[in-house]
Amino acid sequence: MARLEALPGGDSAKAKEAANQAVELFKEDNSKLSQAIMLRGRLSDDAEKRLGDLNKAIELDPENVEAWRARASHYLARGELKEAIDDLNRLLEDDEENQAIRLTVAEALINMEQFDEALKQIDTAIEQQPTATAYILKAQTLALQEKVDEGIEALDEALKLDARDASALSMRARLYYSQDRLALAAEDVRRWLQVIPDNPDAILLRSLISAAQD
C-alpha cells in the first residue's frame, strides 16, 4: 500500500502511514524491515531522517540495492558527490555493466572536476555498450578540458548511432562555431532544426553564425 500511494497521483500521507505500519510489522524479518525503512526514508521530507532511514536500511540488509540507489540519489541531490560515488561504485560491484549507474558516476566526477577519472568510466561504458548518451557525455568532458577536436570526434560517433540526436547536433554545432568552422556549424544547426523545429537556442546560434559570415 505504501508503494502504491507513493506513486504519482497517490496520497503521500497514506503512503507514510502505511510505511510506518510496515516497519512495525516486519521487525522480525531484516530483509522486509530494510525495505520498509528504506521506503519510509524515501517518503520523508526531513533530509536527516531520510538519510538515517536509508543508513539503517542498508545496515539491516547490505544486499538491498534499492536502498543503495536511494542513498546515492540523496547524496547527489545534496551535492555530496564523494559519498554518492562511493554508493554508486558499491552498486557497480554487483552490476558492472549497468551503464546508467556508471554514467552517473562519471557525471559526479565531472562535477568534482575529476575529468580523467570521469573519462575512464565513460570509456568503460562505451566498451560495454556504445550509446549516443555515453559519447555525448564524453564530448562534454573533453570540451571542459578544452580538447575540442576530440570532443567533436566523440559527437561524430554519437551521431553515427543516432543521426537525429538533438543534443549531439547542438553540441557539435557549438564546438564548430567556437572553431570558426561556420559552414559545418550551420549544417548542424539546420539538422538540429529539422529534429526540433523553432528551437530558440538553435535559432539564436544560427543568427550568430550568420553574423560571423557577414
Side-chain angles (χ1 to χ4, degrees):
M1 286 181 65
R3 287 182 182 278
L4 286 171
E5 293 291 358
L7 293 171
D11 187 317
S12 62
K14 288 182 179 179
K16 291 174 184 177
E17 182 182 351
N20 285 327
Q21 290 178 9
V23 169
E24 293 300 317
L25 287 168
F26 293 138
K27 283 186 175 178
E28 304 303 318
D29 186 326
N30 279 0
S31 178
K32 289 182 179 179
L33 180 59
S34 173
Q35 291 288 336
I37 290 176
M38 180 274 301
L39 184 55
R40 184 179 69 182
R42 287 177 56 188
L43 292 167
S44 176
D45 298 321
D46 185 304
E48 294 306 316
K49 288 182 179 179
R50 184 187 313 122
L51 180 58
D53 273 350
L54 295 175
N55 288 339
K56 185 64 176 177
I58 291 169
E59 179 186 332
L60 286 166
D61 182 8
E63 302 305 313
N64 185 343
V65 172
E66 197 173 353
W68 285 99
R69 285 179 183 269
R71 193 170 73 174
S73 295
H74 168 85
Y75 284 138
L76 286 170
R78 293 175 62 84
E80 298 175 33
L81 301 179
K82 182 183 182 303
E83 291 81 359
I85 288 171
D86 288 343
D87 279 1
L88 293 167
N89 280 331
R90 168 63 178 77
L91 290 169
L92 283 175
E93 289 176 9
D94 296 328
D95 191 2
E96 291 185 1
E97 295 191 7
N98 189 313
Q99 189 169 88
I101 293 174
R102 192 173 294 282
L103 294 182
T104 302
V105 171
E107 288 181 22
L109 288 166
I110 291 166
N111 287 328
M112 294 172 68
E113 298 187 357
Q114 296 183 21
F115 301 125
D116 290 338
E117 291 301 313
L119 285 170
K120 287 179 184 177
Q121 294 288 350
I122 296 167
D123 285 337
T124 298
I126 289 171
E127 287 173 14
Q128 292 172 342
Q129 182 184 352
T131 63
T133 299
Y135 277 115
I136 290 168
L137 190 59
K138 182 173 183 176
Q140 290 174 339
T141 310
L142 292 165
L144 287 169
Q145 294 179 298
E146 298 184 359
K147 299 177 180 178
V148 176
D149 287 333
E150 292 179 47
I152 289 171
E153 289 174 6
L155 294 169
D156 291 343
E157 295 301 319
L159 289 163
K160 286 179 185 177
L161 293 168
D162 183 357
R164 290 176 58 81
D165 190 297
S167 295
L169 289 167
S170 66
M171 191 184 306
R172 193 171 68 174
R174 290 188 175 96
L175 293 180
Y176 279 145
Y177 175 73
S178 73
Q179 294 183 320
D180 290 326
R181 299 165 73 179
L182 302 178
L184 290 171
E187 174 59 19
D188 274 355
V189 170
R190 185 189 67 78
R191 292 172 60 187
W192 179 9
L193 284 166
Q194 285 183 331
V195 178
I196 309 178
D198 298 327
N199 180 278
D201 291 330
I203 294 168
L204 175 60
L205 182 55
R206 185 174 63 184
S207 74
L208 294 172
I209 294 166
S210 296
Q213 292 173 322
D214 295 325

